[in-house]
Amino acid sequence: RVGGPARYPNVETTTMVNIASGNVVGDNLWLWRADHTAAGTTTPADNPCQTGMNITGDDVTMYGLAVEHTLKDLTSWTGEGGSTYFYQSEMPYGVDQKGWGDAGYVGYRVGDGVKAHKAFGVGVYHFFRDYVVTCDTAIAVPDALVDSFHSPLAVFLNGNGVVKHVINKLGGETKSDGKGGAIVATYCGGGPAPGPSPGPSPGPSPGPSPGPSPGPSPGPSPGPSPTPSCNVGDTVTCPGSAATCAGNQCCPDASTCPSASDDFSGCSQPKTVDCTKGALSWILA
């Protein structure tokens, strides 16, 4: 870590970990620039650190990597053939629009020239405590590698500002909804479909439906949504699943959540059920 538990003078570094060798395996690393001390919160001038993890070596693998609060890209990866299995990061608290949003810094960056990289469960959180900050994206990778990212997500925790997209220009935005609490956005277009059925059809009727007819009868069809209508952002049940979703999120079958806004396009499949129209609406392919 850089900084904490007390305010020590002249505590700073440029990068916490540099990996230039190939075939390195990292397991359970937490790289933390102190966002607070025992005496209270810190500012960007306190215990500065630019980047947490910088990887230039090839075929590096990370299991359980966490990087928090650095003042530029939290993780920068320019080596070929890298892979990450679970990643958590939180953007710095005290930065402003010029120092962060306009500079285009992100929580996880793969260099423009990289040809092969895969990642599973990359999450980037933000709590812009002091200033309103707008960021284009939480994760930045070459467009050809987007499908190599499985289940990336962005999370608004608290504070000010917005992150517009999860990865590149894909996935919904994360910002306060005025109700309090965290706001999560995911992008489900990367990698293979999480379920065995790639189509948006409500499915083969897991309930005791008397017949296989695919007609639009809303009676015994498999959508278990507990309410006939909803508002955008409400927590509802995903069609054909016991899983729940809320607003601009994706269901386990990669379909769009029934309570998502009309302009949300972060899932690889459209809504199969839309409960935001005042009455439950089944959308038949």
Side-chain angles (χ1 to χ4, degrees):
R1 73 185 185 188
V2 181
R7 274 198 171 92
Y8 299 111
N10 304 318
V11 175
E12 63 181 278
T13 190
T14 301
T15 304
M16 294 189 213
V17 176
N18 280 300
I19 299 178
S21 298
N23 299 292
V24 173
V25 176
D27 184 19
N28 193 25
L29 281 77
W30 181 18
L31 311 179
W32 184 68
R33 175 188 161 266
D35 62 299
H36 66 279
T37 69
T41 59
T42 63
T43 72
D46 299 313
N47 39 267
C49 174
Q50 307 307 310
T51 298
M53 176 65 76
N54 180 51
I55 299 175
T56 58
D58 294 340
D59 303 309
V60 173
T61 300
M62 287 288 146
Y63 296 98
L65 174 61
V67 183
E68 297 191 305
H69 311 306
T70 64
L71 301 176
K72 293 186 178 181
D73 290 338
L74 281 79
T75 289
S76 175
W77 204 313
T78 55
E80 281 291 346
S83 56
T84 296
Y85 299 85
F86 179 77
Y87 175 83
Q88 180 269 329
S89 71
E90 187 177 9
M91 294 176 176
Y93 289 177
V95 292
D96 58 18
Q97 181 64 30
K98 180 180 179 180
W100 185 265
D102 292 348
Y105 297 132
V106 295
Y108 190 102
R109 183 184 300 278
V110 178
D112 290 341
V114 174
K115 304 300 183 184
H117 188 97
K118 60 183 178 181
F120 301 81
V122 172
V124 178
Y125 307 168
H126 62 97
F127 170 23
F128 296 121
R129 182 190 63 208
D130 301 335
Y131 301 97
V132 176
V133 179
T134 298
C135 303
D136 284 338
T137 189
I139 303 164
V141 306
D143 287 338
L145 294 179
V146 168
D147 284 347
S148 296
F149 276 68
H150 305 251
S151 303
L153 68 147
V155 183
F156 165 86
L157 292 177
N158 205 337
N160 309 295
V162 57
V163 173
K164 292 182 178 179
H165 302 285
V166 176
I167 179 169
N168 293 1
K169 296 296 184 181
L170 302 168
E173 66 181 14
T174 48
K175 64 179 182 180
S176 173
D177 62 359
K179 301 177 183 178
I183 302 297
V184 180
T186 60
Y187 177 69
C188 299
S197 175
S201 171
S205 186
S209 176
S213 172
S217 173
S221 61
S225 178
T227 56
S229 63
C230 68
N231 296 314
V232 171
D234 284 353
T235 298
V236 297
T237 304
C238 288
S241 170
T244 60
C245 61
N248 294 344
Q249 298 179 358
C250 304
C251 288
D253 64 353
S255 66
T256 302
C257 181
S259 65
S261 60
D262 289 341
D263 59 354
F264 176 64
S265 59
C267 304
S268 60
Q269 301 294 339
K271 291 183 181 182
T272 59
V273 174
D274 189 344
C275 59
T276 65
K277 305 302 184 184
L280 192 62
S281 172
W282 288 92
I283 302 172
L284 299 179

